[in-house]
Amino acid sequence: MSFFSLLAAAVNVYTLMCFIRIMLTWVPSLAYSKFGRIMSEICDPYLNLFRRFRFLTFGHIDFSPVLSIGLLAALSSVFESIAKTGRFSIGVIFATLTGIIWSLISSIATFLFIVILIRLIFLLIKKDSNSSFWYALDSMINPVIYKLIRVFTPRNKFIRQQTALIIALVALLLIQLLGRLIFSLIISLFLMLPI
């Protein structure tokens, strides 16, 4: 096994540890257990680097773990590529990083699409759509929705919630379709670089 294969394996193990740490934070009793504290000491210094980026937080949802895991996956991919080909390629590195960026954007857009679609369905069937749960969800997603719809509507025009949700869904679909096309083209160009 080459040096770069060992590095890729080490990064993969650390990625798994960070993923476990992220999952532990969802269960407080496990997060504060002895195992949880050990995982925290190992993983939090790295994970906390990404929590500083405000653009990764939408309402009360923090997407910084997605970026941190994505970068580890990219680093592992670069090491594996070097191990297989025996050479260092700037094009492969840029293609991998571009793929990670698109993966992050696409994951966020998909998550928001699903949440907004569920909200729209419950709003249309009027089933318990005014409960405290929906109020909390609305307060979390409305800032994102209204940023998305301002691209398509005048600033001072009142827009009903149903209409805003539909416009946001269309905007997220456009982001997915155009983003996939643009990022695929960019990745292909990076892979064609001779260096």
Side-chain angles (χ1 to χ4, degrees):
M1 185 177 266
S2 74
F3 173 71
F4 287 104
S5 295
L6 286 173
L7 282 177
V11 170
N12 286 335
V13 168
Y14 189 69
T15 303
L16 178 62
M17 291 173 71
C18 287
F19 182 75
I20 290 169
R21 168 61 183 147
I22 292 164
M23 294 297 108
L24 288 175
T25 62
W26 295 0
V27 184
S29 62
L30 294 176
Y32 295 111
S33 68
K34 184 175 182 178
F35 176 72
R37 287 193 306 270
I38 291 170
M39 295 300 284
S40 173
E41 289 176 19
I42 295 169
C43 300
D44 282 1
Y46 171 73
L47 294 172
N48 288 339
L49 293 173
F50 299 90
R51 289 193 180 113
R52 298 178 188 158
F53 300 125
R54 297 259 186 237
F55 68 91
L56 293 172
T57 303
F58 292 96
H60 299 291
I61 302 173
D62 180 14
F63 287 97
S64 64
V66 176
L67 180 61
S68 61
I69 297 291
L71 285 178
L72 287 173
L75 186 61
S76 174
S77 178
V78 168
F79 287 149
E80 287 172 2
S81 175
I82 293 171
K84 287 178 185 173
T85 63
R87 67 184 183 93
F88 178 79
S89 171
I90 299 290
V92 169
I93 291 171
F94 284 152
T96 302
L97 290 175
T98 303
I100 293 298
I101 291 168
W102 168 243
S103 179
L104 175 67
I105 294 169
S106 178
S107 297
I108 292 170
T110 301
F111 174 78
L112 289 172
F113 184 86
I114 292 168
V115 171
I116 292 169
L117 182 62
I118 290 169
R119 180 61 179 124
L120 178 63
I121 290 168
F122 275 85
L123 190 66
L124 290 174
I125 62 173
K126 309 263 192 247
K127 183 170 177 127
D128 198 28
S129 64
N130 292 322
S131 72
S132 59
F133 170 77
W134 293 117
Y135 178 77
L137 182 69
D138 287 343
S139 68
M140 180 181 70
I141 63 173
N142 280 347
V144 176
I145 289 171
Y146 286 101
K147 283 181 184 174
L148 284 171
I149 68 170
R150 288 300 168 222
V151 173
F152 302 103
T153 60
R155 281 206 177 269
N156 298 329
K157 184 178 179 186
F158 173 77
I159 298 169
R160 290 182 32 225
Q161 186 179 18
Q162 290 176 351
T163 306
L165 292 170
I166 292 168
I167 293 171
L169 288 172
V170 170
L172 288 167
L173 277 176
L174 287 173
I175 289 169
Q176 287 281 20
L177 295 173
L178 292 175
R180 182 172 294 132
L181 179 69
I182 292 167
F183 276 87
S184 294
L185 178 65
I186 293 170
I187 289 170
S188 298
L189 292 174
F190 279 138
L191 290 174
M192 292 188 315
L193 288 175
I195 53 171

